[in-house]
Amino acid sequence: MERDTRAALPLAPPEKRYPPSAAEPVAPAERKRAATQKNEFISTLVESVSADELRNSVEALAAFHTRHTFSPLIGQAAEEIVSRFEAAGYTDVVRRTWTNAGHSADNVICTKPGTAAGRPVIIVCAHYDSRMADLNNTTARAPGADDNGSGVAAVLEIARLLAPVALASTLRFVAFSGEEQGLWGATEYAAELHATDGEAYRVVNLDMVGRPPADGSVTVERDLGNAVPGNDAASKAFAAVMAQAAADHTALPVMLGPIFASDYMPFEAHGDVTIGAYEGEGNPHYHETSDTPDTLDYGYLADVTRMTLATLLADARQAVG
Ligand SMILES: [Zn+2]
């Protein structure tokens, strides 16, 4: 399926995600609108985000010796994620297998149907595979707590809290494998979706959101050009919702940066509206055995999760009667 499309995508294995100079602070004026746009329903849910739940998920994922995509343990990690979605009450949870360069692994997809027709599906995603500095070392200890147990934990926590909430838009919570090899799982899934329907998707990607930089900020990533320029304006508007959510529900300083080298890229190339959250450069444990759960700041991870949850609630409930 869609092999030709995929071959055309720019898919070098992600290295350092981008230099700090690529991010810029949000102008103070944008933060002055805080509080005025707060919504009581959203606030109550957002306050329910649990740092303990987040820590529990990160520890469960980091407990696998490695989640290298070529390791047999990757299947067990997928099953752990499936069981967590199911424990939250979801019934539509599937593992979908992709194959690339002779390797296969699964994406985990948990669907929460919306109550209204004709609205774009929102994909909330994070990669669950990990790696060591040597990408070809499939047996070294690679706990991947920040990269990217943190993003998966946030997706799981958002799913848990939204399980009893009716939303107009359909949400798909997706955990990708093969990210570290060059976005393989996300590339396959984006191609699958766009081969079978003519829809445009909205994508929110979380990759490394558990360890704050020195200034405690979060970087909200939006689409600046890339493969399809026509989706940039919608991405910037979506990112503005996320920046506002941070101002409304957390004390996180917000930086704006570009989407770069993570699982939203193949969706962007198909024309989808993509944004992300990222802690920014500075984790000394990046792609090392030392990327362990005790190096994360669960209060920070909870704040990034609150920001993302509030963003989704604003987007998925918009214009609902
Ligand atoms: Zn990552």
Side-chain angles (χ1 to χ4, degrees):
M1 51 187 76
E2 299 301 287
R3 298 290 172 193
D4 293 342
T5 302
R6 187 171 69 183
L9 297 173
L11 290 174
E15 252 316 314
K16 290 289 182 191
R17 293 188 52 212
Y18 56 82
S21 58
E24 62 193 59
V26 173
E30 285 195 44
R31 291 182 60 82
K32 281 191 188 151
R33 290 177 291 136
T36 58
Q37 299 187 358
K38 255 185 158 169
N39 169 297
E40 185 123 5
F41 172 81
I42 292 178
S43 294
T44 303
L45 260 179
V46 163
E47 283 161 18
S48 303
V49 167
S50 162
D52 288 342
E53 291 279 347
L54 291 162
R55 179 194 290 268
N56 182 282
S57 292
V58 169
E59 288 178 347
L61 290 164
F64 293 99
H65 178 72
T66 178
R67 302 188 308 281
H68 194 290
T69 292
F70 302 166
S71 161
L73 292 170
I74 194 77
Q76 293 178 36
E79 204 49 43
E80 176 69 30
I81 294 165
V82 167
S83 68
R84 284 173 180 254
F85 281 129
E86 289 178 342
Y90 292 95
T91 52
D92 185 353
V93 186
V94 296
R95 288 172 61 169
R96 288 183 73 85
T97 305
W98 53 263
T99 300
N100 191 330
H103 296 281
S104 291
D106 290 355
N107 297 325
V108 178
I109 300 147
C110 170
T111 301
K112 173 180 169 53
T115 58
R119 298 171 63 99
V121 171
I122 307 172
I123 293 170
V124 189
C125 55
H127 75 87
Y128 70 95
D129 58 314
S130 69
R131 62 169 286 186
M132 271 292 287
D134 175 6
L135 179 58
N136 296 315
N137 188 339
T138 64
T139 57
R141 172 74 173 131
D146 190 27
D147 187 12
N148 183 32
S150 64
V152 175
V155 171
L156 287 168
E157 178 64 352
I158 290 165
R160 183 182 75 86
L161 291 169
L162 288 181
V165 178
L167 294 174
S169 301
T170 293
L171 263 56
R172 285 198 201 135
F173 304 106
V174 184
F176 290 118
S177 51
E179 194 270 352
E180 301 289 7
Q181 283 67 36
L183 321 178
W184 288 0
T187 299
E188 181 82 15
Y189 187 55
E192 260 179 47
L193 292 181
H194 287 279
T196 53
D197 63 39
E199 299 212 21
Y201 293 82
R202 293 168 78 76
V203 178
V204 180
N205 182 64
L206 305 175
D207 191 354
M208 300 179 71
V209 290
R211 199 176 187 284
D215 65 0
S217 66
V218 63
T219 297
V220 172
E221 303 167 315
R222 73 277 197 243
D223 183 8
L224 305 175
N226 297 298
V228 179
N231 53 8
D232 287 12
S235 168
K236 285 180 192 166
F238 201 6
V241 173
M242 182 173 263
Q244 187 62 48
D248 284 353
H249 299 281
T250 77
L252 292 172
V254 175
M255 309 283 283
L256 290 177
I259 61 166
F260 186 86
S262 190
D263 284 328
Y264 32 34
M265 301 311 288
F267 293 93
E268 192 282 332
H270 285 285
D272 295 332
V273 176
T274 58
I275 62 171
Y278 172 44
E279 67 203 23
E281 282 292 307
N283 187 342
H285 310 291
Y286 178 69
H287 293 170
E288 295 291 345
T289 292
S290 57
D291 182 7
T292 51
D294 58 298
T295 64
L296 270 54
D297 178 334
Y298 293 93
Y300 176 80
L301 176 53
D303 272 344
V304 175
T305 306
R306 289 183 185 108
M307 173 187 80
T308 308
L309 174 57
T311 304
L312 294 168
L313 284 164
D315 203 56
R317 295 178 80 239
Q318 190 184 345
V320 183

